[in-house]
Amino acid sequence: MSIHLCVSFPGHERVLGGRRHSFLEKTSASLNQWRISCGSFPSSITNFRRPYTSVMVVPTGVGASIGGFAGDALPVARTIASVVDCLISHPNVLNAAMLYWPLPNVLYVEGHALDRFAQGSWALQPVHRNKQVGLVLDAGIEEELRIRHLQVADATRASLGLPVVEYIVTDTPLQVEKWVDPRSGQSTGRIQHPDSLLRAVHTLVNHSQVNAIAVLGRFPDDDVEEMEDYRQGKGIDLLAGVEAVISHLIVKEFQIPCAHAPALSPLPLTLSLCPRSAAEEIGYTFLPCVLAGLSNAPQYVAKDSGTSNQGCILASDVDSVVIPIDACGGEGILAFARGLRHKPLIIAVEENQTVLDDTPDKLGIKAVKASNYWEAVGIIAAHKAGVDPNSLRRNGINNIRSFSASHCNGYIASNSV
């Protein structure tokens, strides 16, 4: 709001004489003070609140209704990012094969690193840009498929200006295996030669000084019938679980940002395809979103490394965490929910269901339940504004409680607050 007030006093020069300028100076000072109190000065001058930080998690390979397919949780992340000052999320939410979306206030954090961050062991150090991103290619990738992916890397360098500086091929095929865990129902897997992968990463880190790693593993081609449910927007992502195993291995060992993209033969065309799975069908590569995310992913700083945490984001800076209703059993979520010093607002989204059964009620986690992500965004907006989200609901606020069991406003008060 900007209001211009003109003050005129006919004949004031004759009345005030030599005190004219003193009067105008006092009037100007009063108006300036009034503008400050009315908020007409830029918000950067009068805003004394720290940035509001939110974490959005959709676990990998658990068949999430939203976020269990080809980047279908990215619209949610974009919306939350427009409300908060800083959003922390992970590749499963932000990756969409050949599609991605630049979000300047979103931190792209690998899942293992996100757990260590939540536990308070690691801090996140935002960067303007990672200086050098390295690419590891599985020796099991056929020559033509390898060349096409190297052309994709060159395309991101030339068209997007991404700092992908060098690649290396593993000395042994990784031999990726994947399956569905019969106990949990989520996808998982392993690589037969993890030592080969670690040697390749070690070479790029120590000899090429890269500070982020993209991995391209040759995944076994699925039978088209096995993929049919996923292509129809049902079931679970059979690739996602072992992708997490690969990135966890590297992040745990080298403590640098990492993400994985599978190398696969293109699937035959289908006339019936769910939009949520379509991002993986528009090309033969999943690499562009990974390289874009890693280009400015935050660096990981161990709290006991002796390095200053100045300028870093800590777990205690997190104000809210958004999670599917039945996926609250991960290490990071439990760390946030059970923190001794700082507990962010946990928002459990009922519409986003998975194959898991780790609900807040079952785990004893205090959480606000949101029917859907529309509602979750509203809860975050209220929380950021310093408003109790319950006050936005009819009968959401009860009478204030007292430490003593006495009558208050006609009701028996509780003994605890």
Side-chain angles (χ1 to χ4, degrees), residues 2 22 55 68 224 236 240 273-274 277 286 325:
S2 179
S22 176
V55 171
V224 176
I236 62 173
L273 181 66
C274 177
S277 304
F286 297 1
I325 185 69

Side-chain angles (χ1 to χ4, degrees), residues 168-229:
I168 188 172
V169 179
T170 61
D171 54 26
T172 303
L174 298 180
Q175 294 185 359
V176 177
E177 299 178 355
K178 56 184 176 61
W179 63 85
V180 175
D181 187 329
R183 294 172 299 176
S184 65
Q186 63 188 102
S187 66
T188 185
R190 65 182 176 185
I191 53 176
Q192 288 281 9
H193 299 289
D195 52 337
S196 178
L197 175 60
L198 293 177
R199 283 194 296 270
V201 176
H202 182 274
T203 299
L204 287 178
V205 170
N206 288 277
H207 296 282
S208 303
Q209 283 77 52
V210 302
N211 52 359
I213 291 286
V215 179
L216 193 67
R218 182 60 167 103
F219 274 47
D221 291 324
D222 292 301
D223 185 279
V224 176
E225 293 182 1
E226 293 180 356
M227 291 290 295
E228 190 58 28
D229 279 350

Side-chain angles (χ1 to χ4, degrees), residues 51-74:
Y52 185 96
T53 300
S54 188
V55 171
M56 177 185 173
V57 174
V58 181
T60 302
V62 297
S65 303
I66 301 170
F69 298 88
D72 58 309
L74 186 52

